[in-house]
Amino acid sequence: MQDIVDEISRLLDASVTLEDRSFNLLAYGAQSGDIDRVRQESILRRHASDEVRAHFEAYGIATATGPVRIPGLPGLLGRVCVPLRHDGVTYGYLWALESGALTDERLAAVAPLVGRAAALLATQARGRHAPLRQFFSADPAVRATVRVDVEGPVAAVAVRTPAVVSGPPRTLPRGVLADPDVTDTAVDAPLLAVLAPAAQAAHVARLLHNLYGLAAGVGGPRDDPGEAWQSWREALPALRVAEHVERHAPVADWSTLGVYRLLARLSPRELADLAAESAALTPGIAASVETYLDHAGQVQEAAAVLGVHRQTLYYRLGKAGRLTGLDLADGEDRLLLHLSLKAAALLPTHS
């Protein structure tokens, strides 16, 4: 899906996003030209607001059979919406910010790619109401629902296993469903996928950690078991944080991850780009700067945690500024460096 969006973005020379029919972001192309609040929020929050959804649906996009041109408003750029239809059903929307060059001919040229994207979404939709094994074995980015014999609210748990287990652990409480034949597509390693009553999810995660000695991630609760896929999509990045960030190890709960909720969903390439901002720092300097920033720039508190004199910390902060070219007295530079250090912790090569 991302490859399709990148190619459409290139051919149209426009900023493109692709969303499902519930306005959840699935993929987006590189930014070209101006950006407005709607595109920015869609990318950052992965979902459009109800207000934005109502505004765009008022133009009849849900039933349109071709591109719909939506005029701009103050603070809102004009855009073209191409419904992703397959066999007469709308499965999502392709959005392109109006650049003045989105002619009917150019839009027609990307129609085959639009058709491929619609067919992919249709294929994913046919996976709805799948059994637990089929659901959890799918790519976590696939939008699917699952009907299982577990009453809500439920929460998903992801646990890395040393090897593919022969069956679910017998120590799991009753009412907990587990699938041992799941592969994490990001690292090609086996997982145990668990769907548990939300009230038991943390207990189940700790139990599985004790059993396997490895990290676990817990997704947020969902009242409807049919929305368990949403919890699973949170359990996977929570597991990623539990494996790399000592503060959240060995069991990480999605609801407590703070900024890692954003960082853990970045691709390895995006994480590497962000981590590069602090790559020039030695481990000792990096730890000092991160502690300083974690304590909101309170030098005395940070120095006490590090066990060093304040002047030593000042020296390290000054050196960090010289090595990175970032000014720790500037708010945006401080934020960039702070995020970079957090991102570095999630890289596979980080130790």
Side-chain angles (χ1 to χ4, degrees):
M1 196 74 76
Q2 183 62 53
D3 290 340
I4 292 174
V5 169
D6 286 340
E7 181 64 9
I8 291 176
S9 183
R10 185 187 69 82
L11 291 174
L12 294 180
D13 190 23
S15 301
V16 171
T17 54
L18 189 149
E19 298 174 336
D20 68 10
R21 58 188 171 197
S22 295
F23 286 70
N24 295 300
L25 182 70
L26 300 180
Y28 62 94
Q31 177 62 29
S32 175
D34 294 333
I35 186 172
D36 63 8
R37 175 183 56 83
V38 170
R39 175 176 167 87
Q40 189 175 38
E41 289 292 308
S42 178
I43 292 174
L44 291 176
R45 301 186 185 279
R46 307 278 171 170
H47 184 78
S49 68
D50 291 341
E51 178 185 8
V52 168
R53 177 174 178 171
H55 172 75
F56 288 142
E57 286 182 336
Y59 286 88
I61 61 175
T63 56
T65 58
V68 178
R69 296 185 182 273
I70 299 176
L73 295 171
L76 180 67
L77 298 174
R79 60 219 328 116
V80 175
C81 174
V82 183
L84 300 174
R85 294 176 64 84
H86 186 78
D87 290 338
V89 178
T90 299
Y91 289 97
Y93 305 104
L94 179 82
W95 301 91
L97 292 184
E98 183 60 76
S99 61
L102 295 180
T103 63
D104 292 343
E105 291 76 14
R106 297 188 77 174
L107 291 171
V110 300
L113 291 170
V114 170
R116 285 178 56 195
L120 280 173
L121 288 179
T123 299
Q124 293 174 8
R126 284 194 291 269
R128 291 174 176 168
H129 312 311
L132 183 67
R133 180 179 301 278
Q134 180 180 339
F135 166 67
F136 278 132
S137 297
D139 185 308
V142 172
R143 306 302 302 267
T145 57
V146 56
R147 284 184 174 175
V148 295
D149 295 326
V150 176
E151 295 183 356
V154 297
V157 179
V159 182
R160 188 84 61 201
T161 58
V164 177
V165 294
S166 58
R170 296 181 180 179
T171 51
L172 290 180
R174 293 184 62 185
V176 175
L177 303 181
D179 185 349
D181 298 326
V182 183
T183 297
D184 183 350
T185 56
V187 297
D188 195 27
L191 297 173
L192 182 69
V194 176
L195 186 64
Q200 296 186 47
H203 167 69
V204 169
R206 289 191 295 271
L207 185 155
L208 291 169
H209 162 67
N210 293 336
L211 180 64
Y212 294 114
L214 298 175
V218 181
R222 295 296 185 278
D223 290 334
D224 182 359
E227 297 180 350
W229 60 268
Q230 294 179 324
S231 184
W232 177 243
R233 288 188 65 182
E234 296 167 351
L236 284 174
L239 171 62
R240 190 177 181 186
V241 174
E243 292 176 318
H244 292 89
V245 182
E246 183 177 358
R247 173 186 170 189
H248 292 283
V251 176
D253 189 310
W254 173 257
S255 65
T256 66
L257 296 186
V259 71
Y260 286 110
R261 293 171 67 165
L262 171 65
L263 296 176
R265 280 182 160 172
L266 297 180
S267 68
R269 183 183 66 181
E270 291 169 326
L271 278 175
D273 287 345
L274 185 54
E277 297 290 342
S278 59
L281 301 181
T282 64
I285 297 294
S288 295
V289 173
E290 186 169 7
T291 300
Y292 165 75
L293 294 173
D294 284 345
H295 287 78
Q298 298 296 319
V299 174
Q300 186 169 345
E301 291 182 14
V305 171
L306 292 167
V308 300
H309 192 275
R310 285 188 302 171
Q311 291 303 318
T312 300
L313 180 55
Y314 278 125
Y315 168 77
R316 293 177 181 177
L317 296 175
K319 187 173 182 179
R322 293 190 295 273
L323 290 172
T324 62
L326 298 174
D327 182 4
L328 289 177
D330 180 85
E332 289 195 5
D333 279 5
R334 286 159 67 111
L335 176 60
L336 176 59
L337 187 55
H338 205 180
L339 289 174
S340 176
L341 292 166
K342 300 296 184 187
L346 295 177
L347 292 176
T349 57
H350 183 82
S351 58

